[in-house]
Amino acid sequence: MNDVYNLLGLAYRAGKVAWGYQAVMAALKRRKVFLLLMAGDSSPRLKRKLLTTCREYAIEGIVYGDKVTMGAALGKPPCAVVGVTDANLARLIRQHVREVGA
């Protein structure tokens, strides 16, 4: 697992993520999400809807990795979307995603 997934796991253990569509949408509506990660193998419709929502709430949405690996990083079943709810962790994850070249 790479640094992005390690940081995602750390954020989950710290209670700083919302995972799964319903939880992420609820956190977005409460304006608690600083970064949204979507699995690359998510449906095009889901990605389109989430990217539109990201623009609406003025947060960055990144398509990265796959559902199985994202879920494994959280210790959960396959997961299509994760919202990072801590600004510093979101910045670190964003930085590592850019280094990897997603």
Side-chain angles (χ1 to χ4, degrees):
M1 234 183 270
N2 66 26
D3 287 340
V4 173
Y5 292 120
N6 289 335
L7 286 169
L8 204 53
L10 176 69
Y12 175 76
R13 290 188 301 280
K16 302 297 182 181
V17 298
W19 66 279
Y21 179 78
Q22 302 244 339
V24 169
M25 291 305 285
L28 278 167
K29 288 178 183 172
R30 291 190 320 268
R31 300 205 182 266
K32 299 288 185 185
V33 177
F34 293 93
L35 175 67
L36 193 97
L37 290 174
M38 294 162 276
D41 58 349
S42 301
S43 74
R45 182 175 179 227
L46 177 65
K47 285 189 273 193
R48 199 170 40 249
K49 181 173 179 135
L50 289 169
L51 288 171
T52 300
T53 304
C54 285
R55 282 191 297 273
E56 179 182 326
Y57 288 96
I59 65 161
E60 185 173 8
I62 300 172
V63 177
Y64 183 81
D66 62 88
K67 293 188 273 190
V68 172
T69 310
M70 195 173 297
L74 302 175
K76 298 290 180 188
C79 178
V81 60
V82 174
V84 181
T85 59
D86 180 82
N88 291 323
L89 284 168
R91 182 182 46 77
L92 281 172
I93 292 170
R94 185 180 301 114
Q95 178 182 350
H96 283 282
V97 166
R98 289 185 179 138
E99 287 174 4
V100 171

